Amino acid sequence: MRCLIDTNILISAALFPESVPMKAFVQAVSPPHSAVVCDYSMDEMRRVFNRKFPHRIADFERFVSTMALAVKIVAAPPPEESVPNEEDIRDLNDRPIFRAAVAAEVDAILTGDRDFLESGIASPKMITAADFCQMNHSDYDE
């Protein structure tokens, strides 16, 4: 399964190494899976750490260094390159991430964001970290 990992999963994984989001991150970047992260999420993650967790910048830097080896960073297409179902994402700030997921042809968006989870969008599939960890991953190819 090819997943786009959303910002909230990345932040939780960076802050809490023993958390379910970190376990889901590790699964998502391990065969048979592959993972992508949107450049917009990288910027958003840095802003959140600078604003809310300035004392944890070293954790952020360490996580990003490791993450860069395990995921492919993809660009968020600009707003004028809208994609089907984009308007179903309530939060305008989440739409660049959705466009990146569609452009990267992922199977799923790994997220804890209600705007994604409650969007009703079937493809790519919206999945929580906990649900991803519970899935039978042998059913999926890369």
Side-chain angles (χ1 to χ4, degrees):
M1 176 182 283
R2 183 170 163 90
C3 299
L4 180 137
I5 305 173
D6 192 17
T7 313
N8 56 67
I9 300 293
L10 296 171
I11 290 170
S12 294
L15 288 171
F16 308 107
E18 302 300 319
S19 67
V20 171
M22 177 55 105
K23 290 175 182 151
F25 173 85
V26 170
Q27 276 188 226
V29 301
S30 301
H33 308 293
S34 63
V36 300
V37 171
C38 176
D39 59 353
Y40 183 89
S41 289
M42 298 293 296
D43 293 341
E44 186 177 26
M45 190 177 173
R46 180 174 297 283
R47 286 191 304 274
V48 168
F49 266 83
N50 284 332
R51 189 178 74 247
K52 292 185 175 183
F53 309 106
H55 59 289
R56 302 280 306 268
I57 294 296
D59 294 329
F60 166 78
E61 296 293 345
R62 192 169 25 260
F63 180 78
V64 168
S65 295
T66 303
M67 181 184 66
L69 301 172
V71 302
K72 179 179 179 183
I73 308 296
V74 297
E80 54 272 10
E81 294 180 27
S82 66
V83 296
N85 301 321
E86 181 176 337
E87 66 282 352
D88 294 336
I89 305 294
R90 292 181 299 232
D91 186 346
L92 298 179
N93 292 323
D94 289 333
R95 290 181 181 181
I97 297 166
F98 182 71
R99 285 194 302 273
V102 172
E105 299 179 344
V106 301
D107 301 302
I109 297 176
L110 185 56
T111 186
D113 187 325
R114 288 192 186 277
D115 289 313
F116 281 124
L117 296 169
E118 296 174 356
S119 68
I121 295 172
S123 182
K125 180 181 176 79
M126 307 297 169
I127 187 165
T128 66
D131 287 344
F132 186 75
C133 288
Q134 296 295 318
M135 288 174 58
N136 180 358
H137 297 283
S138 62
D139 294 340
Y140 296 95
D141 302 312
E142 200 169 346

